[in-house]
Structures are given as C-alpha cells and as structure tokens.
Amino acid sequence: MLHIRTVTGDIAPDALGYCQCHEHILIAKGKSFELNPALCIDDEASSLEELLLYKEAGGDTLVDAQPTGAGGMPRALRRISEDSGVRIVASTGFHKLIFYPEQHWILTSDEDTLRQCFIYDLTVGLSTDADTGLPANRCEAKAGVIKCALDSHGLDNNYKRLFKAAALAAKETGAPMLIHTEDGLNALDLIEYITSFGIATDRMMICHAERSMQRMEEKLQIAKTGVYLECDTIARFKYHSDEDEIEFLKRLCEAGYEDRILLGLDTTRQRLKSYGGSTGLDYIQRTFIPMMRENGMNAERIKKFCVDNPALALGWTQI
Ligand SMILES: [Zn+2]
C-alpha cells in the first residue's frame, strides 16, 4: 500500500496506529435527521470533545463514514482533527437512497458525473455544498475512502449505477471502498458486481455483516471472497450482546480470517458521550478490548483488528 489519505494529508500506512474503521463524528442536519434525530451530530465543540476521549484512550485515527452530499462536514472534520490530534479518513460516495431528498443529484446524475464527483472528492478536495446541489465548491481536505451503501432491496438499477460509478472511481484512484450492508444481505451479489469492474476484493470493506448472528454460513462465504469485514455492532445491544460479537469474531478467526477483521462502533448522536450518550468513542479500548482479552483473544490478534488490518484496508494502491 502506498499511503492512507486523511483530511490533514497523506500518511504512510505504518503510521496509522489504532484505528476504528466506521464511525460518525459529524453529520449535518438534513434528510437523515428527519428520519432519525440521532443522525445529526453537528456540534463541533462536542465532536472535538469526543475525539479527545478517543485520543486519551489510545485512538490515533478513525474513519468518518458520512459521505459528502449526505451530511458530511469536511471543513469541520479537518478542524477537529487538527485540534484533537486524531487523524480522520473522510468519505466520498453515497449512502442509502432513503437519506436523500427527492431530486438530489445522487439520485438523478448519470454514472459518469457521479464517478467524476467521487474522484474530485478523493483527489482535489471534498465538496462543501453537495447536500443541496451538484458540488461546486471544495475545501482542502480530501476523501480517503469511497463509502457506498446497499439497502435491503438489493442491487436494483439505481444502486447498480451508483456502485458502478464508485467502482470506476476506485479503479482510477486506487482508493478503498467502505460498503454498508444490511446484515450482509446481498453482499455476495454485490461483491461479484464490483469485482466485474476490475476491483480486487481486498479493496472492499463490508460493513455491518454481523448485525445479527443469523445466516452464519453466508457470512463465512462473504469472508471467503477476500473482502474485509467491518465488525461494528459492538455495544449495540438492541441487536446482540458483546459476548455474541466476540463469538462471531472467534468464528471468523477459527475459519482463518483474522487478517480480514476491522472494528468500529458506527456511532450515532445517542451513543456519543459528549452528546449525552452512554457508549462513547472510547468504548472499544476501555471496555471491549479488555473483554476480548478475558475471552482468550491474544494481544497479537487484537492488534491485527485495530492496527495492522486497517493499515492495509485503508491503503491506496495508486498515487
Ligand atoms: Zn454508518
């Protein structure tokens, strides 16, 4: 891998340090807020406070998974990264289509326009006005990943257009793809589709495949393709317990996939301590890692999940 792109510049992969690969530290108030008020995280001072908690617990870097055009706040991300000393990898790309108002450019643009917008975010600077119209203004901070999302309806023509544009942008830039799924549903079809554009499976991070503990065989099949599995249902007790999460991680390791595991909390406003929530961005280091240790995970394996695997998964293959 050549480098990892953060909002404050490129770094060598071995300088990444401890990294959670799917978080939300800033989301502007928009359509997602209308659907769920917890999907608005727009107070810069509180977000900075949360990053300082993360830093204090040993956090070096995190991925902010909110794409521009769906409430991503790149200028503020860069400011809180500079002020906290926590490096942030920001997202271009697209979210689930329910998060966009009617006539949003993500819904109406052709493949080529989308591809071009994603590439600009990755190589020129993230757009700052994309929530309301086709991007026109950009800031200094660049995107480091292409966030994509598939909802439970599967890969219809709308999503095919978006995923093709994202895959072509990944191919042209060498940037990795961070992919939301609903409990891994339709992920196998999706991986095959993205691969058809010449993208290697180790360029894809599949998120939320362990929302439930069901369809385990299918989940092992997903891992077998060679993608990274972003395990981010930690401390999300409405889905399952942390003990179940650890059992899932152990199953993956026993099947030989410990080099393909990434961790995250997929935070919302409700789970950030500085916004009054109880989990906190420091939960993995303070609570979940000690639990993994008690459950027999050795330090080398834990380092893979939090340091070594993210350094490879987030690395770019081209300049
Ligand atoms: Zn997310």
Side-chain angles (χ1 to χ4, degrees), residues 66-272:
Q66 201 68 22
T68 44
M73 296 171 63
R75 276 204 182 98
L77 274 183
R78 187 176 155 109
R79 280 194 294 267
I80 61 171
S81 173
E82 278 170 348
D83 291 350
S84 64
V86 174
R87 286 181 296 251
I88 297 176
V89 176
S91 299
T92 183
F94 63 93
H95 213 318
K96 290 198 287 186
L97 299 185
I98 51 158
F99 291 129
Y100 296 96
E102 261 176 65
Q103 299 307 316
H104 189 283
W105 62 274
I106 281 281
L107 306 175
T108 58
S109 300
D110 60 27
E111 252 157 47
D112 201 52
T113 307
L114 292 164
R115 180 186 63 89
Q116 205 53 256
C117 288
F118 301 157
I119 290 175
Y120 269 51
D121 278 350
L122 291 158
T123 59
V124 179
L126 279 152
S127 48
T128 51
D129 53 359
D131 285 359
T132 49
L134 209 58
N137 294 300
R138 298 183 179 278
C139 65
E140 251 183 287
K142 294 170 190 161
V145 292
I146 308 170
K147 164 77 181 281
C148 308
L150 187 63
D151 65 27
S152 52
H153 296 95
L155 202 54
D156 62 13
N157 284 340
N158 248 336
Y159 278 112
K160 277 188 173 164
R161 173 179 56 93
L162 286 154
F163 274 102
K164 182 177 178 186
L168 294 176
K171 184 151 173 94
E172 207 164 316
T173 58
M177 299 173 77
L178 181 73
I179 303 166
H180 168 107
T181 67
E182 306 280 320
D183 197 29
L185 215 58
N186 303 304
L188 288 168
D189 288 348
L190 179 61
I191 292 163
E192 196 183 319
Y193 182 68
I194 296 172
T195 308
S196 75
F197 299 104
I199 306 296
T201 49
D202 67 359
R203 305 281 65 221
M204 303 175 210
M205 293 168 261
I206 301 293
C207 306
H208 322 320
E210 32 60 278
R211 275 288 188 264
S212 83
M213 294 294 114
Q214 280 140 32
R215 305 179 355 267
M216 196 61 203
E217 280 314 308
E218 189 183 334
K219 290 165 187 184
L220 290 171
Q221 283 295 115
I222 296 171
K224 196 177 172 194
T225 64
V227 298
Y228 286 92
L229 284 184
E230 227 281 332
C231 298
D232 45 29
T233 313
I234 299 164
R236 303 206 62 186
F237 305 121
K238 69 174 178 180
Y239 295 112
H240 57 69
S241 68
D242 280 351
E243 286 79 4
D244 283 348
E245 185 79 22
I246 291 172
E247 279 312 304
F248 182 84
L249 293 172
K250 282 185 170 173
R251 281 279 298 270
L252 286 179
C253 291
E254 279 158 19
Y257 303 123
E258 69 178 59
D259 294 336
R260 285 291 180 268
I261 295 171
L262 310 167
L263 301 182
L265 293 164
D266 193 12
T267 43
T268 62
R269 184 186 190 95
Q270 281 166 334
R271 296 200 298 285
L272 293 171

